[in-house]
Amino acid sequence: MRTVNIHEAKTHLSRLVDRAAKGESFIIAKSGKPMVKVVAIDAPAAGEMRRVRFMAGRFSVPDDFDRMADDEIEKLFGGHA
């Protein structure tokens, strides 16, 4: 992530804001010490995962998905199924 000092941020604020709005976050530092992080308003919060939804409604997950192939897996790892 790019870090800019306060002077550069004041000088190029419009350009920096445009870039942040497009998803390119940056940090503003004062005397070399990071002070604030600038991110787009619709950016996911820290730790929040953004989900891809381009396939929504096009397939379904079977109810037994987490148990599929249990017998085969048990045999592979020494079980007696």
Side-chain angles (χ1 to χ4, degrees), residues 19-34:
R19 290 171 72 173
K22 293 176 184 171
E24 191 176 325
S25 305
F26 64 95
I27 294 173
I28 298 177
K30 182 177 184 179
S31 301
K33 179 182 175 190

Side-chain angles (χ1 to χ4, degrees), residues 27-73:
I27 294 173
I28 298 177
K30 182 177 184 179
S31 301
K33 179 182 175 190
M35 300 297 287
V36 296
K37 179 179 176 183
V38 180
V39 298
I41 288 177
D42 62 352
E48 180 182 312
M49 187 168 62
R50 197 175 242 176
R51 304 235 182 240
V52 179
R53 302 214 16 105
F54 71 94
M55 295 293 290
R58 295 196 179 186
F59 65 92
S60 62
V61 177
D63 291 336
D64 66 341
F65 178 78
D66 58 341
R67 295 180 310 280
M68 293 173 67
D70 275 356
D71 295 340
E72 291 84 1
I73 293 170

